[in-house]
């Protein structure tokens, strides 16, 4: 893996945190996320996630903490109060980071760390979300050609694309439930710093979609689009 790609991915992760902070302006939450980012990074560097033949599979610890954060934010009163403060404009812009993520995934495939199924040459269409994000932002917030309903539909479609690649990634990983890519399993995300993809970036992207959908459904007019 070229050092340039590693640096590129680290920068992508930092940009993801930046947009996430812009959306909520919560220093406490971003500090918690940053601490988890350091812990996951250290574990990845030490090879914790690459250990095989253990129960539960270490791959679980790549996704579970972030998914628990998302569930907490959507189902608890405190989490809902935090979600209500989110700015849909920044949550929309955040999805542009899916473009560099797809570039990194392609390079991980080239060096034999993930299967082609997880790239835009396979069955991963998530780059469409990244490429369309700035267009949607322009249509909604600059030209105002699109309103709440259009943004809601886009979030549902892109959420589906995210679930698609998540399913492929999980079924391609070296776990007891592996169903795909036995010739080249998904091991790239178990290495530092790429552990930040499932531990940091994916949960934030998933959260951004779910919160945007929640807010767009909760309010019946376009005022939520311009809520600061």
């Amino acid at each position: 893996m070229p050092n340039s790609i590693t640096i590129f991915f680290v920068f992508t992760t930092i940009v993801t945190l930046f947009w996430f902070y812009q959306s909520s302006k919560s220093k406490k939450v971003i500090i918690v996320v940053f601490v988890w980012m350091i812990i996951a990074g250290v574990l990845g560097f030490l090879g914790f996630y690459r250990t095989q033949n253990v129960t539960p599979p270490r791959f679980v610890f790549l996704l579970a903490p972030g998914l628990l954060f998302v569930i907490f934010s959507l189902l608890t009163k405190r989490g809902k109060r935090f979600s209500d403060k989110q700015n849909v404009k920044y949550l929309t812009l955040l999805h542009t980071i899916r473009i560099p993520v797809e570039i990194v995934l392609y390079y991980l495939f080239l060096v034999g760390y993930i299967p082609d199924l997880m790239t835009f040459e396979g069955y991963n269409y998530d780059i469409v979300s990244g490429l369309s994000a700035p267009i949607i932002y322009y249509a909604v917030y600059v030209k105002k050609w699109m309103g709440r309903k259009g943004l809601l539909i886009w979030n549902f479609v892109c959420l589906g694309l995210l679930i698609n690649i998540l399913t492929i990634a999980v079924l391609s990983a070296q776990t007891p439930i592996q169903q795909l890519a036995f010739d080249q399993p998904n091991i790239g995300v178990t290495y530092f710093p790429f552990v930040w993809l499932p531990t940091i970036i994916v949960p934030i992207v998933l959260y951004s979609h779910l919160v945007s959908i929640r807010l767009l459904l909760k309010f019946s007019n376009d005022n939520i689009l311009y809520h600061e």
Side-chain angles (χ1 to χ4, degrees), residues 23 74 93 102 123 127 129 137 147 157 168 200 203 210 223 226:
S23 172
L74 294 175
L93 275 176
E102 293 306 313
Y123 294 99
I127 195 169
S129 304
Y137 175 84
V157 171
I168 294 173
I200 301 297
L210 294 177
N223 291 338
Y226 312 105

Side-chain angles (χ1 to χ4, degrees), residues 38-50 190-193 195:
I38 293 174
I39 293 173
V42 170
L43 291 176
F45 184 79
L46 295 176
F48 173 82
Y49 301 109
R50 297 196 298 275
T190 64
Y191 286 84
F192 176 83
V195 292

Side-chain angles (χ1 to χ4, degrees), residues 98-119:
R98 288 154 89 163
I99 300 173
V101 165
E102 293 306 313
I103 294 173
V104 170
L105 285 177
Y106 184 69
Y107 273 92
L108 285 174
F109 158 65
L110 291 180
V111 297
Y113 279 8
I114 66 171
D116 60 346
L117 295 172
M118 290 178 59
T119 73

Side-chain angles (χ1 to χ4, degrees), residues 12 16 36 47 57 65 70 72 102 118 125 130 136 141 153 161 165-167 169 172 188-189 214 218 223:
T12 299
T16 304
W36 168 234
V70 173
F72 171 83
E102 293 306 313
M118 290 178 59
Y125 309 110
I136 295 298
Y141 292 100
I153 292 172
L161 295 178
I165 180 55
L166 269 177
T167 303
S172 299
V189 297
R214 177 177 179 272
K218 183 177 180 180
N223 291 338

Side-chain angles (χ1 to χ4, degrees), residues 23-53:
S23 172
S24 66
K25 299 293 186 180
S26 174
K27 293 182 179 179
K28 290 183 179 179
V29 171
I30 206 67
I31 289 173
V32 171
V33 174
F34 188 71
V35 169
W36 168 234
M37 177 179 168
I38 293 174
I39 293 173
V42 170
L43 291 176
F45 184 79
L46 295 176
F48 173 82
Y49 301 109
R50 297 196 298 275
T51 302
Q52 298 293 313
N53 302 319

Side-chain angles (χ1 to χ4, degrees), residues 72-83:
F72 171 83
S73 300
L74 294 175
L75 297 183
T76 65
K77 290 183 178 180
R78 186 174 181 180
K80 288 179 180 179
R81 286 197 299 269
F82 173 71
S83 298

